[in-house]
Every structure is written in structure tokens, then in C-alpha cells.
Amino acid sequence: MALTSRYSRYSLLAYLATILFVVPNLCYCFNPKLLNVSRIQTESGWSAARASWYGDPYGAGSNGGACGYENDVSTPPYSSLITAAASSLFNSGAGCGICYQVKCTTHKACSGNPVTVVVTDECPGCDPQSILFDLSGTSFGTMSNSGEAGQLRNVGIQDIQYKRVACNFHGVSVAFRVDGGSNQNYFAVLILFENGYGLSKVELKQAGYGGAWLPMQRSWGSVWRLNVGSGLQPPFSIRLTSGGGSGKTIVATNVIPADYITGKTYRSTVNF
């Protein structure tokens, strides 16, 4: 009995020692803080990302931006609901005018409701920080519960979900602002307010309905140019092809008049 008792006590002590030694090491190896579930579990069609914000808390980030929209970012239809995008989404200007829905659920101030924002600027320093969106103060605050925008902005950087969506500016037609450097041999235009999924192609036709469609190149941001080295004959028609794989085409016929003025914006009657 004594031997059995001593053996039992020894076994019990060995068992307890094993528990005390092994379990802490198991806990050390699995650190739940290293597992950010919010960035793994996303709804169908949504992807995980991180977002910050910049500029005035109730503003449009900054007027201008790498797309060239200038003060238009703070007026309808953009209405300050805009974002700067990391270089991977900005894509050397091809991302200009593309819309995304963003939402947050990981902070108590998050509403979980999607907010549609437009890419109007680039955030080149975002990629190394794994931040895809640098939202305007207005956009960031709009992801919050009513009355809690300030609390959400105080977070600074927030895990979010996002997906690409078609822009819908509710009856606003595409507009064209003639670049200040345009002349008889060179024409450049800023394109604003297009619905759909951004632009994959822009073409120009001279002198009304005649002539061939000439491909324009992206100059920078949302500015497209045509340099033919010979006299261009306005009025100009402009044909736009939507991105996002849709390939949908619209034509703004004679949208740039023969007596166009550089710096002036001309409204079309069409949109995607």
C-alpha cells in the first residue's frame, strides 16, 4: 500500500508538473492578438482593408488631388465623399473616378452601413502600411453611427471592408474641362462625373460627325490628351468606353465647340 501510495503521489505530481509546463507554452505559442478575425471573416463580395483619413474632419481631404478634380471634390455629385487610394488601386490614374463602397464593423462607433466613395487622389505612402484608403474626414465619419463621427475619427486607422461598385450620380451628365495647354496641335481635357466603373478608353473626332475616331492617351489623373502635330478642327466629339470589363460606350457629340475656351467646363447630355 505504501509503495502504491508513493507511486500514486509521484504520478499525480508528474501530471501536475506536465500541465503547468506545457499549457503556458501552448498559450505563449497561440496569441489571439495576432489573429485579426475582422480582416479574415468578410461577407461575400467584400474584401478586407484598412482605412485612415486626412484633411479637415468635415472636409473633402484636400482640394485638387492627383486626379485633377480640384474644387469639384467638395461639390455635388462628389460632395466630399471621396478618397485617396493606395498606388495599387490608383493605378497611375486609371483608378480616378472609380467608386467603392466601404464600411466598418469592428469599433463600437461603426454603423456597419456601406458608404460609397469616389477615388479622387493618390496615397503613395499607404501601401507599405497595408492601408488601401485614405478617406476624407467626411467619408470616414459617415461610416459611423449617428452622432458618433468624432469618436470614429479619433480611432485614426480602422479595419474596414470594401468592394468596387458602379458610380451612380443620379442624372448628372459627363463634363469636360479643357486643359489650359490646349492649342491647334494639342488638345487635353479633364473628364468628370462619369457613371459606371471608370474609363478604359477615350477617343476624339474632329469637325462634327465627319472623320475618324482618334485615340487619346491618359496624360495624368483624369486628364486625357491628343497630340497630332497638325491643326485640329473643332468642334470635337468625344467617345468614352467604360472600364470594369463592361466595354459600354457613349458619345458626347460636338461637346467641345469650335470657339472653346481653355479652362472652361462643357457639359454633355450623356452618361453611362
Side-chain angles (χ1 to χ4, degrees), residues 151-165:
Q151 295 179 40
L152 187 59
R153 280 191 289 264
N154 286 339
V155 175
I157 296 175
Q158 177 64 46
D159 289 340
I160 65 165
Q161 296 181 45
Y162 78 100
K163 65 179 177 180
R164 185 172 173 176
V165 297

Side-chain angles (χ1 to χ4, degrees), residues 89-219:
L89 292 184
F90 185 76
N91 193 19
S92 301
C96 288
I98 289 178
C99 288
Y100 292 90
Q101 282 189 340
V102 295
K103 64 179 180 179
C104 70
T105 58
T106 58
H107 189 273
K108 63 181 181 180
C110 293
S111 71
N113 297 323
V115 177
T116 302
V117 297
V118 187
V119 174
T120 63
D121 202 356
E122 181 181 17
C123 179
C126 285
D127 281 329
Q129 304 173 48
S130 299
I131 298 173
L132 284 181
F133 298 96
D134 198 14
L135 300 165
S136 69
T138 297
S139 298
F140 200 92
T142 304
M143 293 191 298
S144 70
N145 296 316
S146 178
E148 297 181 347
Q151 295 179 40
L152 187 59
R153 280 191 289 264
N154 286 339
V155 175
I157 296 175
Q158 177 64 46
D159 289 340
I160 65 165
Q161 296 181 45
Y162 78 100
K163 65 179 177 180
R164 185 172 173 176
V165 297
C167 297
N168 187 348
F169 295 129
H170 305 293
V172 176
S173 57
V174 179
F176 302 87
R177 182 174 301 142
V178 180
D179 187 78
S182 297
N183 55 55
Q184 289 186 339
N185 302 316
Y186 170 87
F187 182 78
V189 63
L190 172 75
I191 303 173
L192 305 111
F193 314 141
E194 71 272 11
N195 287 333
Y197 294 93
L199 297 174
S200 63
K201 186 190 296 185
V202 178
E203 300 162 286
L204 180 145
K205 187 187 334 186
Q206 305 180 59
Y209 295 94
W213 287 106
L214 305 175
M216 302 183 76
Q217 283 74 46
R218 189 183 301 275
S219 181

Side-chain angles (χ1 to χ4, degrees), residues 178 187 233-237 254-261 264-266:
V178 180
F187 182 78
Q233 300 295 322
F236 300 139
S237 297
N254 293 339
V255 66
I256 308 298
D259 56 349
Y260 71 80
I261 301 171
K264 185 173 180 178
T265 300
Y266 296 93

Side-chain angles (χ1 to χ4, degrees), residues 39-54:
R39 299 189 67 190
I40 297 175
Q41 296 178 344
T42 56
E43 299 175 33
S44 178
W46 294 82
S47 299
R50 302 182 80 201
S52 55
W53 65 277
Y54 72 116

Side-chain angles (χ1 to χ4, degrees), residues 54-62 74 79-82 135-139 153:
Y54 72 116
D56 187 278
Y58 300 95
S62 63
S74 59
S79 302
S80 299
L81 292 173
I82 58 90
L135 300 165
S136 69
T138 297
S139 298
R153 280 191 289 264

